[in-house]
Amino acid sequence: TWEVKKYIKDTLMVSTKTEIDKAKEAKEEEDTIFGKIARKEIKSDVAYEDDLCLAFRDIHPQAPVHIVLIPKKHQGLTRLSKAKEEHKDLLGHLMVVAAKIAAQEKLVEGGWRFVINDGSNGGQSVYHLHIHILGGRQLGWPPGQTTPFNLSFEFISTIPVSYTHLTLPTNREVQISVGAVSLKK
């Protein structure tokens, strides 16, 4: 996998960091991108807001509806495993608001998913407690399955590339095209 990522990055000038990579590199910091969004220092597509929380549409949606719900002030609650008795009202409020958002987005009839990632192994890449509200399609189970070639791409620069090939040590050919990797047997 590393050889494929390096080849893609060096040849196509793209970042191949996965969400798992981002979670492993994330640090618990006092200020995060979500804190900046809550304070309106960074623009977001707001789906819901009240005195305690803010919900916005994810910029890298994993479903037709993917909304991130955050407390405006995390009160030391950087991850769910840090929850204490004094967070009970805030956590309850977030759950009720998540249900309101699901109804607002017309997800209730078909169903939806409520996700809180906790820590590196849980896939948490931003240490400001947040809830993912996902729906609008059939969601797979179990969540969190990965394959060695599950890569996401972010373009660093624009280079006209149609496709290229390389052979992995497993003798499987990989076709790399802009935004996609496919394996051939």
Side-chain angles (χ1 to χ4, degrees):
T1 303
W2 180 85
E3 291 171 356
V4 173
K5 287 182 181 182
K6 181 165 177 21
Y7 182 85
I8 293 168
K9 184 174 184 178
D10 292 349
T11 306
L12 303 179
M13 299 297 290
V14 297
S15 168
T16 57
K17 277 191 180 177
T18 66
E19 288 304 312
I20 293 169
D21 295 331
K22 292 174 189 174
K24 287 179 180 177
E25 294 170 2
K27 305 274 186 268
E28 281 197 57
E29 301 172 39
E30 190 57 35
D31 198 17
T32 67
I33 189 167
F34 290 168
K36 292 174 183 171
I37 289 171
R39 294 188 304 272
K40 308 281 176 93
E41 294 170 15
I42 295 177
K43 219 174 155 180
S44 65
D45 183 2
V46 175
Y48 177 92
E49 183 174 11
D50 65 23
D51 292 342
L52 298 176
C53 61
L54 176 75
F56 55 93
R57 298 186 191 285
D58 197 297
I59 61 170
H60 298 292
Q62 301 302 304
V65 175
H66 185 169
I67 294 172
V68 179
L69 174 62
I70 60 173
K72 287 185 173 178
K73 295 182 179 155
H74 65 70
Q75 304 167 13
L77 194 55
T78 55
R79 51 194 282 193
L80 189 58
S81 59
K82 296 214 173 179
K84 295 184 174 28
E85 190 69 25
E86 68 254 22
H87 298 122
K88 189 168 47 174
D89 290 340
L90 176 60
L91 290 169
H93 181 73
L94 291 170
M95 292 184 79
V96 169
V97 167
K100 279 184 191 177
I101 293 168
Q104 168 191 301
E105 298 293 319
K106 300 183 181 7
L107 300 176
V108 176
E109 185 178 325
W112 54 287
R113 186 168 289 162
F114 174 105
V115 177
I116 298 177
N117 300 325
D118 188 278
S120 178
N121 285 348
Q124 186 174 6
S125 59
V126 178
Y127 283 86
H128 182 125
L129 179 77
H130 57 285
I131 297 165
H132 296 269
I133 299 163
L134 300 146
R137 68 168 169 83
Q138 178 64 56
L139 299 171
W141 191 262
Q145 285 187 333
T146 59
T147 61
F149 301 100
N150 183 12
L151 304 175
S152 62
F153 302 101
E154 296 173 24
F155 286 92
I156 296 169
S157 64
T158 305
I159 298 174
V161 176
S162 57
Y163 67 89
T164 185
H165 290 81
L166 74 133
T167 302
L168 298 173
T170 60
N171 292 327
R172 293 178 79 188
E173 185 182 64
V174 176
Q175 180 177 321
I176 301 168
S177 59
V178 177
V181 175
S182 62
L183 296 175
K184 293 184 178 182
K185 292 187 178 194

